[in-house]
Every structure is written in C-alpha cells, then in structure tokens.
Amino acid sequence: MLEQLRKALSTSAWHEGDTPPAVDYVLFFDGNTDEESIATNQRGDGRPAIADIYKRFQEIAKRSDVERILVGLHFDWDHEHYADSFPPAENVHIFTTASTSDVESWLADMHTDGVIKGWPYGKPKNAPEPSNGYSVLSVCWD
C-alpha cells in the first residue's frame, strides 16, 4: 500500500507552506506497521497499536453517518527521512453527520487529544469537499 500512497501523493505539486495532504485512511493504514507514524507522543502511554487504530477506523467507516475518513499528514511528510517508509500523520478527518461528542464516544479508549470541527491547519488542496449535510470532524493527537 505504501507504493499506492506515494503515487496518490505525487498527483499534486506540493510546496513548502502548503497545508499537508490528506489521504484515504486505507492508503495510510493498510500494511503500515510503523508505530511511529501516528500519535507518536501517546505511544506507550495508552495509545493502541497502529493495527488496532486501523481496525477502529474500519469500523467507523462502515457507519451510515460516515461518508469518508482521511488521514492528515504531518508537515514533515515529504522529508527525505520518510522516503522509504510511511509518512508521519498528524490527525484523522471524518466526514460525518454525527456530532463531535458522538465521534469522541467512538474513540473513547484511543487516547486522543479530542475531536474538533473542521481542518486544524486548513483544507488540504487534495481533499474533497464533504457532501451536503456532512461536516469534517478532526481527531487530534498532540
């Protein structure tokens, strides 16, 4: 899946200062065993294993009130250090009709720093718009 992720990221020209890209959660999590690639500061401090995080988002994606799930990459996503590995992620964006408190309840044991409305760093240029009636709720870790 890493090759598909890299291909998806190469479809747009990215410049320093751009809001980091967002990618489909399957592209980010499927085959990703790098425990340092998301919520690094909570690793070993209550954050589940990356495989368990992926399973949780797979369950959430099946909900009738969820349109899509994207992973927002970290500002250093294209650093040469990550050339042969999964890029680091900063947050997860859920397009949903559910409330913030409902989404927080879905993630109660994930050791997140909370759920906020909208895009924390602005909308990435490669991110689609949510359908009518859906909002972007972002799951944040440190």
Side-chain angles (χ1 to χ4, degrees), residues 69-130:
I69 299 175
L70 302 175
V71 174
L73 299 184
H74 188 274
F75 279 97
D76 289 338
W77 70 273
D78 61 348
H79 189 278
E80 65 185 38
H81 177 77
Y82 306 108
D84 297 320
S85 63
F86 280 85
E90 185 77 14
N91 40 51
V92 175
H93 311 291
I94 302 173
F95 291 29
T96 185
T97 58
S99 69
T100 302
S101 61
D102 285 343
V103 173
E104 286 174 340
S105 73
W106 304 342
L107 303 164
D109 60 345
M110 298 284 286
H111 205 74
T112 72
D113 288 328
V115 176
I116 62 169
K117 290 184 179 199
W119 306 95
Y121 305 111
K123 181 182 175 288
K125 64 183 172 185
N126 72 327
E129 292 291 335

Side-chain angles (χ1 to χ4, degrees), residues 40-76:
T40 303
N41 293 340
Q42 283 80 4
R43 184 171 178 235
D45 191 27
R47 190 213 77 187
I50 196 165
D52 295 329
I53 295 172
Y54 183 30
K55 286 178 191 170
R56 179 64 58 85
F57 285 114
Q58 287 174 310
E59 293 167 8
I60 292 169
K62 293 177 186 174
R63 296 180 56 91
S64 63
D65 53 358
V66 171
E67 179 180 28
R68 88 175 59 230
I69 299 175
L70 302 175
V71 174
L73 299 184
H74 188 274
F75 279 97
D76 289 338

Side-chain angles (χ1 to χ4, degrees), residues 5-24:
L5 173 62
R6 292 289 176 197
K7 184 176 180 180
L9 290 170
S10 70
T11 61
S12 295
W14 296 96
H15 305 286
E16 189 171 332
D18 285 348
T19 298
V23 297
D24 186 85

